[in-house]
Amino acid sequence: MCGIVGLFLKDPALEPQLGALIAPMLASMSDRGPDSAGFAIYGAARESETKLTVQSKTPDESFGALQRGIVEAGLEARIERRETHAVVYAPAAAQAALAALIAAAPELRVMASGEAIEIYKEVGSPRDVAQRFDLAGMAGTHAIGHTRMATESAVTILGAHPFSTGPDQCLVHNGSLSNHNDLRRALRREGLRFETENDTEVAAAYLTQRMAQGRGLADALQDGLADLDGFYTFVVGARRGFAVLRDRIACKPAILAETDRYVAFGSEYRALVDLPGIEAARVWEPEPATVYAWEH
Amino acid sequence: MRTFDLSTTSLRDLNRALHAVEAGANDLDFEILNPRGAHAVAVGLDAPLRVVARGSVGYYCAGMNARATVIVHGSAGPGVAENIMSGEVIVKGDASQYAGATGRGGLLVIEGNASSRCGISMKGVDIVVRGRVGHMSAFMAQSGNLVICGDAGDALGDSIYEAKLFVRGAVKSLGADCIEKEMRPEHRATLAGLLARAGFDDVDPDEFRRFGSARKLYHFHIDNAETY
């Protein structure tokens, strides 16, 4: 069992409140996934600048060393720390040198990269995780959160969701995949890199590969119906989009709500009860084997 | 009538009060405010209570219900009225997966739509759905009646035993060993009675088709070995 929440804003007036709206949604799913929690938030993007979310078990030392490395190399980049994570902002020209600095520091883990995405995840209760990173204070256009009850790999930060395997992409999963080992081998042969033995990371990488081949988000998910075997409710984030897919059996719960102002996803209705205007929202369960996608 | 507001009272206190009603008690009416998708609201009742929930409920509402009437003014999460023994459960909105699963008696009315596996393994309960039902509904249904005023999803009645299925709308597909059957006068009478009990006066029993078991699967036959 796991819990998923998602919020895709249509009304820009709600963007400053994105974190405040989704933090209680994440906390409401604590008993579906008490092991660990994580969230992806798509925040303000600046022209010609990318964001890299990095994580470390020893943040004081690691982020300090990274800061010194940036200064020594004369890179035009800045670090904003949030607890065990930090977002590194850098122009395109500094990307390669920055990636080399991070690769040379084995204690640094890249959680996400892109124009808008930031990913934060930790072991512990979802409410605590949201508070540690001050999710409620974050702004953005859309966000996806996950509370994990581990089944397929260890309870670690790297095993927590969301998984990001491509720029501005992320995926969260409730369920378990049965053909992830085969699929991982096939994707590795095609050059994809994996950080964990986790099944969900394979689904994320599969979508990344499809989109790299030119498929759109919705089409890549449609392909997944044929290639991903197992139980799943997926919620997927992209730079401008947000999508939902359930397997053909659709045992894993899912509820969508839509108003003029937002699209919201919850594993249960409990996750949605505090959203503004939820009483008048269109609320439904996504059909099995059917892709639902929204884009800005 | 006693009112429990679940924004200020615990679910345990509510269910304890519902279970504590003694035989011969006069005050059998309960109202539940702010259920907000809570799990296990009004489960395991075994008295002629009338319980009204004002809002949507989560997993397993009115599970194992006996004798009580439970009315949900909202939608219900997975497993509403699971293993209902008797009494009535009425959902004014939609119901999630496996509504009325394994129910042995009583009546479940869903005024909206029901999701997948509605009436899975039903064993005597009557279920009346105003809207449509999702895939795998009435899977391995053993006895009782499932009335669907809208459409039915894929694999309706897969591996069905002796439950009777009545569908007014389209059936996307029938499951293994489920076939359309003749609507005889006694079936029409059963259907009309269930629609009347559900309060669906505007629904004409003559617009329904009946489905049930071809009885080829549940007695072992070597020729069917591939199908098991």
Side-chain angles (χ1 to χ4, degrees), chain A residues 134-282:
Chain A
D134 188 27
L135 171 57
M138 294 187 188
T141 51
H142 50 303
I144 295 169
H146 186 272
T147 65
R148 181 169 188 233
M149 187 179 285
T151 56
E152 299 295 299
S153 72
V155 178
T156 60
I157 289 174
L158 286 183
H161 303 212
F163 282 91
S164 180
T165 50
D168 282 313
Q169 295 168 12
C170 77
L171 177 144
V172 299
H173 175 201
N174 178 16
S176 57
L177 299 177
S178 44
N179 65 337
H180 62 99
N181 282 325
D182 265 2
L183 207 49
R184 189 185 294 106
R185 274 192 289 274
L187 290 166
R188 269 197 179 122
R189 277 198 296 275
E190 294 181 36
L192 281 102
R193 291 178 53 201
F194 291 86
E195 298 270 348
T196 71
E197 294 302 306
N198 184 282
D199 57 333
T200 304
E201 189 182 15
V202 176
Y206 172 86
L207 295 179
T208 297
Q209 186 224 25
R210 289 278 155 170
M211 288 193 274
Q213 289 170 346
R215 300 285 277 167
L217 175 59
D219 288 335
L221 282 166
Q222 192 68 39
D223 296 342
L225 282 168
D227 292 330
L228 299 169
D229 185 19
F231 295 116
Y232 51 84
T233 290
F234 293 135
V235 179
V236 184
R239 170 75 185 87
R240 290 188 174 75
F242 172 89
V244 173
L245 177 66
R246 302 174 84 188
D247 66 73
R248 286 166 205 286
I249 306 294
C251 281
K252 297 296 178 187
I255 296 178
L256 280 163
E258 185 165 15
T259 73
D260 292 342
R261 308 185 76 194
Y262 59 79
V263 178
F265 178 95
S267 288
E268 298 180 35
Y269 180 73
R270 281 190 299 163
L272 311 177
V273 290
D274 287 324
L275 287 171
I278 189 68
E279 302 79 15
R282 184 167 87 92

Side-chain angles (χ1 to χ4, degrees), chain A residues 249-251 268 270 274 285, chain B residues 37 39 96-97 115 117 135:
Chain A
I249 306 294
C251 281
E268 298 180 35
R270 281 190 299 163
D274 287 324
E285 289 190 357
Chain B
H39 297 185
S96 184
Q97 306 177 59
S115 181
R117 295 171 279 270
H135 62 283

Side-chain angles (χ1 to χ4, degrees), chain B residues 94-118:
Chain B
D94 297 332
S96 184
Q97 306 177 59
Y98 47 92
T102 74
R104 298 187 65 98
L107 177 69
L108 168 62
V109 178
I110 296 159
E111 298 194 2
N113 301 309
S115 181
S116 60
R117 295 171 279 270
C118 180

Side-chain angles (χ1 to χ4, degrees), chain B residues 3-10 31-34:
Chain B
T3 299
F4 285 78
D5 185 340
L6 286 183
S7 65
T8 53
T9 309
S10 76
E31 184 181 44
I32 301 165
L33 304 178
N34 294 309

